[in-house]
Amino acid sequence: MAGGKLSARQKMINLMYLVFIAMLALNMSKEVLSAFGLMNEKLTESNEIAEERNEAFMQGLAEKVSEQPAKYQPLKQQADQISKLADDFNAYLTELKGKMTATVDDPTDYEIMDKGDYLDENFFKGDKLKPEGQEFLDEIAKFREGVVAVLQQNPDLADIADDVEKKFATEPVVNRDGNKIDWLDYHYKGFPLVASLTKMTQLQADVKTTESEVLSSMLAGKLKVEASLTNFDAIVVPDKTAFFSGEDFTGRIILGKNDKTLKADKVVINGTELPDTSMQAGQTLLKFPAGAVGEREIEGEFQFKEGDSIITIPVKSTYAVVPKPNSATISADKMNVVYRGVSNPMTISFAGVSDNNVSASAPGLSKVSGVGKYVMNPGKGREVSINVTGTLPDGTKVSDNAKFRIKDIPKPTGTISGQDGLVKLPRNSVEIGTVGAKLDDFDFDLPIQVTSFKFKVPGQPSVNVNGTKLNSQAKNALRKARRGDNVQIFDIKAQIRGNSSYKLKGVSAVIVEITN
């Protein structure tokens, strides 16, 4: 383009073209570097979300272990192993990325990360690996082989194990020219710093994804086992709690996880195989002589086909045969007292007398849906008497009564953001927190609504607040509080949602120590 035969003008034009092309190449290079940087940022954000999801899973699993340790502890141990492998590898990559970005003045300026000197000098010495390069490969192998070792304990996770081996493989790679190149050379040697940094972040994303897939698959496998017929229990439900001597026992057997489409292949009770007509809509109907007075046993088994196996579910229960009753059974479902301002559920029955032949009466007592189910809403006074009458099959009347103490709902406890008593919170949490009230150690879950409260900052006048959150005046007072000041939330007014006529006792105050 710049030969001697060209005119000076043509030589100048050609030179300008060369400069223009060089500028285009330079701009394109910067755009590519920036694109890698943006990709790295997106992957970093995604990794943070995945980290939160995995942590939430582990917390939920820990709660299940505390509730049912025998069932979930083995699963928790495997999950801990996976989590430890992922955390260790991720920490190593994070430290390595920190060293890489420390070589540039501004880690957010991706256009200056166009050199690959750091990894080239840190990982390689000519055509050989330095100890740091071998350590990088060892960390990948440690994670890959550790995860596969855990997954091999569970045949249902074999697919994930294969995927981990492929995703974290470090065998030599064949390039487009057909030459075999070491994995580390192929992926990291001679690349711009930002490209290697993005690859490291992608590796972290693969670690988080693997951890999520393994943890979720473990739980799914556990739920699959839980849904198996081996976990069903047979429950004997008599038509009544006791039977007279000479009566037939009547009742039914319901499987714990009831499915109306479910039907056993065989049911044997007390040594006798029941006919097909006894099995209807997921229930097995029973009818046989009750026997003499005393405790009687029901023993047998359900048989189901599951795959190529026969699953046997044992049936074992007892029932009582009693003489004709002369007294009623009266009990409060939740406590031995009834509370004013609360609908107290009660069960009232006569042993051996059907529910339609039992009547009960008392001030505030009413019948609700269900066998023997009543609700007591006591009024004034400190005691209520319930009178019960039953009609036996022969027409004989029997009666009984019982007295229950009447108590008021206990004093509620004030809260802010769910905490009560003396709590420590930052100023912002107090400003946006919700003031509430709860009933400690109370057997009823009552919806309590705070209507107003007073707010006091040391050195400032008290502020009256309507509702459950600080108003602008209270927030202004809060801004004048200093670190360590005790802010008071007192004179809390509250009522039962849906029953504002009942006057609750005064709600206890909340003291908040400002921590910032």
Side-chain angles (χ1 to χ4, degrees):
M1 292 179 65
K5 296 181 180 181
L6 298 177
S7 65
R9 181 175 179 277
Q10 186 61 47
K11 290 180 180 180
M12 180 62 68
I13 293 173
N14 291 346
L15 181 60
M16 291 177 63
Y17 272 119
L18 288 175
V19 172
F20 178 71
I21 292 171
M23 292 178 65
L24 286 178
L26 181 62
N27 290 334
M28 179 62 71
S29 176
K30 290 182 178 180
E31 290 176 359
V32 171
L33 294 173
S34 296
F36 271 109
L38 292 174
M39 183 183 299
N40 183 65
E41 292 178 0
K42 293 295 184 182
L43 287 172
T44 300
E45 293 176 3
S46 178
N47 288 347
E48 292 174 354
I49 296 172
E51 177 70 19
E52 293 176 358
R53 181 172 63 248
N54 292 341
E55 288 179 358
F57 177 93
M58 293 299 294
Q59 292 174 2
L61 186 56
E63 292 177 1
K64 288 185 177 293
V65 171
S66 64
E67 296 170 357
Q68 303 180 60
K71 182 182 294 185
Y72 287 100
Q73 187 61 47
L75 180 63
K76 178 67 162 54
Q77 291 174 349
Q78 292 183 344
D80 285 341
Q81 295 176 33
I82 296 294
S83 183
K84 179 66 165 56
L85 289 166
D87 290 345
D88 289 349
F89 190 27
N90 185 66
Y92 167 77
L93 292 173
T94 299
E95 182 181 1
L96 180 57
K97 288 167 59 179
K99 293 177 181 177
M100 293 166 63
T101 55
T103 62
V104 296
D105 295 333
D106 184 1
T108 62
D109 186 357
Y110 303 116
E111 295 183 1
I112 65 175
M113 299 184 187
D114 56 343
K115 307 297 183 184
D117 297 346
Y118 178 79
L119 289 185
D120 289 350
E121 296 173 2
N122 191 53
F123 281 175
F124 307 99
K125 186 175 183 180
D127 294 333
K128 296 183 179 181
L129 283 182
K130 293 178 69 174
E132 291 81 358
Q134 186 59 50
E135 181 187 15
F136 181 61
L137 293 176
D138 291 343
E139 287 293 333
I140 296 176
K142 178 182 176 182
F143 175 76
R144 178 186 66 238
E145 294 168 7
V147 172
V148 171
V150 175
L151 298 184
Q152 286 175 344
Q153 304 173 28
N154 190 336
D156 293 335
L157 302 179
D159 291 343
I160 298 181
D162 292 340
D163 185 58
V164 170
E165 290 183 326
K166 294 176 183 177
K167 189 177 292 183
F168 295 93
T170 55
E171 287 81 8
V173 181
V174 177
N175 65 10
R176 62 184 179 182
D177 297 326
N179 299 321
K180 185 175 288 188
I181 302 176
D182 288 340
W183 184 88
L184 197 59
D185 285 48
Y186 183 83
H187 284 281
Y188 292 97
K189 195 171 187 179
F191 282 89
L193 180 65
V194 68
S196 297
L197 185 69
T198 303
K199 285 186 178 182
M200 297 285 185
T201 306
Q202 178 61 57
L203 201 54
Q204 289 179 308
D206 291 340
V207 171
K208 297 298 179 185
T209 301
T210 298
E211 185 180 7
S212 297
E213 289 177 351
V214 172
L215 296 179
S216 60
S217 296
M218 281 181 173
L219 183 58
K222 187 66 177 177
L223 295 176
K224 179 180 178 182
V225 172
E226 287 299 305
S228 171
L229 289 169
T230 57
N231 295 296
F232 278 69
D233 290 328
I235 304 171
V236 177
V237 183
D239 286 345
K240 53 186 179 181
T241 57
F243 296 85
F244 299 145
S245 178
E247 276 191 305
D248 286 341
F249 174 90
T250 58
R252 61 194 184 280
I253 297 176
I254 300 176
L255 294 182
K257 295 180 179 179
N258 193 9
D259 181 358
K260 292 187 177 181
T261 65
L262 189 64
K263 183 177 180 181
D265 296 288
K266 180 188 289 187
V267 181
V268 178
I269 299 296
N270 292 344
T272 301
E273 183 176 346
L274 301 185
D276 290 342
T277 55
S278 298
M279 291 170 274
Q280 301 175 12
Q283 300 180 357
T284 300
L285 306 180
L286 301 179
K287 183 176 182 179
F288 53 82
V293 174
E295 186 177 83
R296 300 295 166 191
E297 292 185 351
I298 299 175
E299 294 185 355
E301 63 183 22
F302 278 80
Q303 293 183 9
F304 294 90
K305 285 184 179 180
E306 190 173 76
D308 296 329
S309 303
I310 299 295
I311 303 301
T312 299
I313 301 176
V315 176
K316 188 172 180 62
S317 184
T318 60
Y319 65 95
V321 180
V322 298
K324 291 184 178 181
N326 54 14
S327 63
T329 298
I330 305 172
S331 64
D333 284 353
K334 291 202 172 188
M335 61 202 76
N336 59 355
V337 297
V338 289
Y339 284 90
R340 202 183 336 267
V342 176
S343 295
N344 299 261
M346 309 189 74
T347 299
I348 302 175
S349 66
F350 260 110
V353 179
S354 60
D355 183 58
N356 63 329
N357 288 321
V358 176
S359 62
S361 62
L365 183 70
S366 59
K367 186 78 169 67
V368 295
S369 177
V371 177
K373 299 300 180 182
Y374 293 78
V375 169
M376 165 63 75
N377 289 287
K380 297 180 180 180
R382 309 307 304 172
E383 190 177 72
V384 61
S385 181
I386 300 177
N387 299 303
V388 184
T389 301
T391 302
L392 300 180
D394 61 3
T396 303
K397 299 285 187 179
V398 289
S399 61
D400 199 0
N401 69 81
K403 294 181 179 180
F404 289 83
R405 291 173 295 152
I406 301 175
K407 287 187 175 182
D408 290 321
I409 297 172
K411 181 179 180 179
T413 300
T415 65
I416 181 170
S417 297
Q419 302 183 57
D420 62 89
L422 178 59
V423 300
K424 295 181 178 181
L425 290 173
R427 190 188 313 271
N428 182 60
S429 296
V430 178
E431 186 172 335
I432 66 175
T434 299
V435 176
K438 64 178 182 177
L439 295 170
D440 292 321
D441 299 323
F442 192 54
D443 292 320
F444 292 88
D445 184 15
L446 290 181
I448 298 179
Q449 176 66 44
V450 169
T451 57
S452 65
F453 60 91
K454 291 183 179 179
F455 186 74
K456 171 68 176 175
V457 174
Q460 302 297 319
S462 298
V463 179
N464 293 321
V465 180
N466 291 322
T468 60
K469 292 182 178 292
L470 300 188
N471 57 20
S472 59
Q473 187 179 358
K475 291 178 181 178
N476 289 334
L478 177 62
R479 295 188 183 101
K480 298 177 182 178
R482 296 173 297 178
R483 180 179 180 180
D485 279 354
N486 287 333
V487 175
Q488 300 181 47
I489 300 172
F490 63 101
D491 196 16
I492 302 173
K493 304 297 183 183
Q495 64 186 23
I496 301 173
R497 190 178 292 116
N499 188 11
S500 58
S501 61
Y502 182 86
K503 301 302 180 183
L504 287 168
K505 296 180 179 179
V507 182
S508 64
V510 185
I511 307 297
V512 183
E513 180 182 333
I514 303 301
T515 60
N516 64 347

